[in-house]
Amino acid sequence: MEINVKASRDCNVTIYDYDGKGKLTQIFPNQFQPNTAVKSGETVTIGGPDSEFDYQLSIQPGEHKVLVQMRASKSPSAGAVIRLAD
């Protein structure tokens, strides 16, 4: 899976995966991409073929959509970096 985030203004980005069963996992920032700051007009790519880590998305049979929620803040701040599972 590849997530592309393009900012229309300077912001900080944090992305979580929610499994629908109560488990929330932060996937960005991470140990390979620790900087949460995204400049206006800049695109950040998380995952994908050139990434240093794999992120797999699982959906149940019959599901056709996946809900992805993102939150951005205007003021720069340092985010907590998590370690992705090997």
Side-chain angles (χ1 to χ4, degrees), residues 18-60:
Y18 178 67
D19 71 356
K21 300 174 188 169
K23 183 178 177 187
L24 190 65
T25 305
Q26 181 179 315
I27 59 173
F28 182 85
N30 56 63
Q31 79 251 33
F32 302 108
Q33 297 170 294
N35 188 4
T36 63
V38 181
K39 299 279 186 199
S40 178
E42 180 179 64
T43 299
V44 174
T45 300
I46 299 101
D50 297 327
S51 176
E52 296 181 70
F53 65 92
D54 289 328
Y55 181 75
Q56 295 180 341
L57 181 67
S58 297
I59 61 173
Q60 299 299 320

